[in-house]
Amino acid sequence: MDFDKEISPTFCILPWIHLSTRPNGHVRLCCTANASSAGATNDKKYGGEVGIVKGDDGKPANLNHTDLLTAWNNGYMKTVRRQMLQGEIPPSCTKCFKEEAAGHRSKRNWETEYWASRVSVKELLAMTNADGSVPPKIAYVDLRLGTKCNLKCIMCSPHDSSLWVNDWNKLYPKIQNESLKEIMQWHNKGKVDGATYNWYSDNQEFWNQLHDQLPNFQQLYFAGGESTIIDEHYSLLEECVKRGEAPHIELRYNSNGIELPQKLFDLWKEFKRVRFHFSIDSIGEMNDYIRYPSQWSHIEKQLDLLDQTPDSVEVTIACAVQVLNILYIPDFIKWKLQKKYRKINPWPLGAGLINFHFVYHPAHLNVKVLPQTLKDKIVQKYEEFYLWLKENVSDQPEFLEAPYGIKRLKGLVSFMNSEDWSVRLPELQEYLIRMDEIRGTNFKQTFPEMTEIFDLY
Ligand code: SF4
């Protein structure tokens, strides 16, 4: 079905089948909707936190004071559905449409395609009432059970990683740049609008509603803090098994892969399928710098372990593309190809290469911030890499036209060039200098080709 023509050019399936959570208990339209508020400056065209589902009082719907089913059909969700059916772009979704305009395949594109073969879009539309409400039959939920994490990645913050708290305490009081200070805020240590990082622990109403929805679920998605070290993630999988629901549920992860205990592999066997997106952002010490304080030798060991999993476990490398790694992505792909993994990004997943998504927060790490001289260098390197791929991987149309292969790489470059956010370079510079001071890392040594970031301003 051509959704753009047959339903509406702004239709996305997610508001009909999905809810997403933040680690602080806020409910979201989807995991990337709040990126729609990111821009060249901190002016919020749409008045602040877009992407977060608001309650009828205009405040974020938080699972400490609302519940899943109330959020599902509150005024905000109903408006988003109506806007999509009327061909309008909801403010929470501008990010997807900007990516598409830059030639990138957006989450709206791939999620709608993926889910349209698993649920009946016709039925969903027939069930939609004139006010935008739909019966709560949630097929897919994104659960972020707090911030417990064993890494403190350079693009993360205490909003998503408990390990970041110490670094934030050292960093924040020293920040001089006003825009950086605003970006790095952590108001009241996350306790705003009823939010807490343990919203799920004593929330029986939440668990009751979630368990009631298990027969409807087709996918449980875990992406943060780090679900492989969060007890409630394991309890939920056990509950699915106990209730006999596991065989129809697909588990999906974005995980740092640092801890992969045997009990995880044992539980996975009970489920229909597992899709494990291993978050790796570069190779060697560059990855160690970005995904601090991980160790590359351990990451390689975990990849080897995942490469031995059964066919019901799909493993891909999920690279978050940002200022620090975009230049080195061709090297990263060459490394991945040379490893000849049995089942990590096998064709056609990521065209046999690697999967990519963009970093939007913090905004100073967005690739649009790079100075034009570096952007030009990146364009040149990618052009040479396309030829290398044709010569060394395939020159057949199936590969050359694959949506996640060369086309995806071209999409990264055109997204980078689609806007100039270099006004944020001073905040990027200050951020890197201060993080190096705090962590004892050395940006210039680790990313020697990127030092031009400091040549301007
Ligand atoms: S259009 Fe994009 S941002 Fe909006 S719900 Fe769909 S995937 Fe999320």
Side-chain angles (χ1 to χ4, degrees):
M1 183 189 273
D2 185 343
F3 301 101
D4 282 12
K5 284 202 184 108
E6 291 187 36
I7 302 174
S8 143
T10 61
F11 176 73
C12 170
I13 202 167
L14 291 187
W16 276 263
I17 60 162
H18 171 71
L19 271 183
S20 169
T21 53
R22 287 280 300 134
N24 66 1
H26 283 1
V27 181
R28 287 188 292 188
L29 208 47
C30 79
C31 70
T32 57
N34 46 323
S36 294
S37 59
T41 69
N42 296 344
D43 292 341
K44 302 286 195 300
K45 191 176 166 198
Y46 292 105
E49 266 186 314
V50 301
I52 301 290
V53 172
K54 308 293 188 311
D56 294 338
D57 58 2
K59 294 203 170 136
N62 186 284
L63 291 168
N64 275 313
H65 56 74
T66 186
D67 58 85
L68 267 185
L69 299 191
T70 304
W72 178 251
N73 268 330
N74 72 9
Y76 187 91
M77 289 296 290
K78 289 190 284 193
T79 302
V80 164
R81 294 186 193 114
R82 285 200 316 270
Q83 284 175 317
M84 285 185 173
L85 293 179
Q86 287 159 5
E88 295 166 31
I89 299 176
S92 294
C93 300
T94 51
K95 165 238 164 230
C96 274
F97 291 87
K98 276 190 180 181
E99 286 186 4
E100 288 165 32
H104 192 76
R105 198 167 151 74
S106 73
K107 183 173 171 74
R108 177 180 90 102
N109 295 145
W110 65 260
E111 291 273 26
T112 302
E113 185 183 303
Y114 184 84
W115 284 100
S117 62
R118 288 163 174 82
V119 294
S120 163
V121 177
K122 273 194 185 141
E123 266 176 38
L124 291 176
L125 296 178
M127 287 189 322
T128 308
N129 300 308
D131 66 353
S133 59
V134 284
K137 233 181 135 187
I138 307 176
Y140 160 34
V141 70
D142 170 350
L143 285 178
R144 316 240 163 171
L145 302 171
T147 59
K148 187 176 173 188
C149 189
N150 40 13
L151 293 184
K152 41 182 168 178
C153 299
I154 193 81
M155 60 287 188
C156 197
S157 73
H159 295 276
D160 288 277
S161 165
S162 52
L163 212 63
W164 240 97
V165 173
N166 273 345
D167 284 2
W168 186 88
N169 284 332
K170 292 178 196 159
L171 170 72
Y172 195 72
K174 290 191 183 154
I175 295 176
Q176 300 289 319
N177 182 294
E178 277 180 27
S179 175
L180 181 60
K181 193 114 190 159
E182 192 183 337
I183 289 268
M184 295 306 295
Q185 57 71 27
W186 186 36
H187 291 311
N188 201 24
K189 306 213 160 165
K191 290 188 183 135
V192 286
D193 296 321
T196 61
Y197 296 123
N198 63 352
W199 60 269
Y200 53 94
S201 60
D202 267 328
N203 194 337
Q204 205 47 51
E205 180 69 5
F206 165 76
W207 290 112
N208 289 344
Q209 290 189 349
L210 193 80
H211 293 160
D212 288 348
Q213 285 290 322
L214 286 180
N216 296 326
F217 283 151
Q218 295 188 43
Q219 186 181 105
L220 287 173
Y221 175 38
F222 300 97
E226 174 49 45
S227 47
T228 58
I229 59 167
I230 292 174
D231 292 342
E232 286 78 2
H233 149 255
Y234 291 99
S235 321
L236 179 56
L237 300 198
E238 282 158 7
E239 191 68 29
C240 293
V241 174
K242 194 173 100 192
R243 291 177 181 235
E245 305 287 358
H248 66 84
I249 295 177
E250 170 179 282
L251 301 175
R252 186 167 149 234
Y253 295 84
N254 272 78
S255 165
N256 65 33
I258 299 293
E259 296 280 339
L260 296 171
Q262 185 56 43
K263 74 171 171 179
L264 184 65
F265 295 120
D266 292 342
L267 279 163
W268 282 358
K269 284 184 202 146
E270 307 288 334
F271 286 80
K272 181 179 177 187
R273 186 172 172 230
V274 176
R275 296 169 67 202
F276 191 85
H277 308 313
F278 196 161
S279 300
I280 307 175
D281 293 333
S282 198
I283 37 178
E285 59 179 19
M286 291 185 284
N287 191 63
D288 296 348
Y289 185 102
I290 295 170
R291 304 197 64 82
Y292 189 85
S294 64
Q295 293 292 319
W296 184 243
S297 55
H298 183 68
I299 300 298
E300 287 198 300
K301 204 173 107 213
Q302 301 299 75
L303 276 165
D304 290 341
L305 187 63
L306 287 163
D307 205 31
Q308 301 308 317
T309 49
D311 290 349
S312 58
V313 180
E314 171 192 300
V315 185
T316 54
I317 294 175
C319 171
V321 181
Q322 52 145 308
V323 158
L324 300 184
N325 61 4
I326 188 166
L327 177 69
Y328 303 98
I329 280 172
D331 311 305
F332 190 10
I333 293 174
K334 282 183 184 173
W335 166 85
K336 191 268 168 186
L337 291 171
Q338 171 257 318
K339 292 294 285 187
K340 298 199 183 316
Y341 287 116
R342 186 179 73 87
K343 57 167 295 181
I344 291 170
N345 274 98
W347 172 268
L349 301 179
L353 310 176
I354 283 171
N355 286 85
F356 303 104
H357 56 279
F358 291 114
V359 168
Y360 281 88
H361 291 291
H364 48 269
L365 288 175
N366 189 297
V367 290
K368 295 177 184 180
V369 173
L370 286 165
Q372 195 57 48
T373 49
L374 264 173
K375 287 185 177 178
D376 293 344
K377 203 192 249 187
I378 290 163
V379 170
Q380 175 68 26
K381 185 165 175 174
Y382 276 56
E383 290 294 332
E384 288 163 14
F385 185 54
Y386 304 147
L387 296 176
W388 186 93
L389 284 171
K390 279 183 201 166
E391 278 170 25
N392 293 278
V393 179
S394 170
D395 60 359
Q396 295 303 302
E398 190 187 30
F399 176 71
L400 300 181
E401 294 302 314
Y404 293 104
I406 290 176
K407 276 190 168 176
R408 183 75 156 181
L409 294 171
K410 288 185 174 170
L412 299 185
V413 169
S414 69
F415 176 79
M416 171 186 78
N417 277 328
S418 63
E419 285 181 276
D420 177 10
W421 292 10
S422 58
V423 66
R424 288 196 185 272
L425 276 169
E427 54 196 282
L428 172 63
Q429 293 163 357
E430 181 177 350
Y431 184 69
L432 293 172
I433 289 167
R434 297 209 182 280
M435 293 309 290
D436 276 356
E437 281 166 8
I438 290 167
R439 296 181 170 181
T441 47
N442 190 322
F443 166 75
K444 289 185 179 177
Q445 264 178 24
T446 313
F447 303 90
E449 294 86 357
M450 299 294 290
T451 52
E452 278 169 54
I453 283 175
F454 287 93
D455 291 348
L456 303 168
Y457 296 92

